[in-house]
Amino acid sequence: APRPPVLNGTLWVVAGEQVSLTCGASSHPAPIVTLARGRRVVATAVYEPQVRLELPAAAPEDAGEYLCRAENQHGASSLAFN
């Protein structure tokens, strides 16, 4: 199963600022990494080690819990963040 995802990016965001973060996990075979907010998938990387989220200007409606999930045929692991 994939190792638990690791998040690299902005820790604090102010409305109007650009947001750029990556979430990645390692596994063999390579994982499918998905970044979702609620039930809506906002970014996916198929058989790549990481997925990237870019927001040109953060808005209050972008706030909330996100989930980074890495999965392959051996299992899945995830990381939630706000």
Side-chain angles (χ1 to χ4, degrees):
R3 293 200 169 130
V6 175
L7 185 68
N8 293 316
T10 306
L11 298 176
W12 296 98
V13 177
V14 175
E17 286 186 346
Q18 180 180 358
V19 176
S20 177
L21 61 88
T22 58
C23 183
S26 60
S27 69
H28 185 74
I32 296 173
V33 184
T34 306
L35 188 57
R37 181 167 178 249
R39 293 182 175 208
R40 192 180 109 227
V41 173
V42 294
T44 302
V46 179
Y47 307 128
E48 297 290 332
Q50 66 185 19
V51 66
R52 176 180 291 282
L53 174 67
E54 301 264 351
L55 299 174
E61 52 270 15
D62 294 319
E65 185 171 280
Y66 288 77
L67 181 71
C68 180
R69 179 179 168 87
E71 59 186 304
N72 64 17
Q73 61 263 41
H74 300 294
S77 58
S78 61
L79 170 71
F81 62 95
N82 287 313

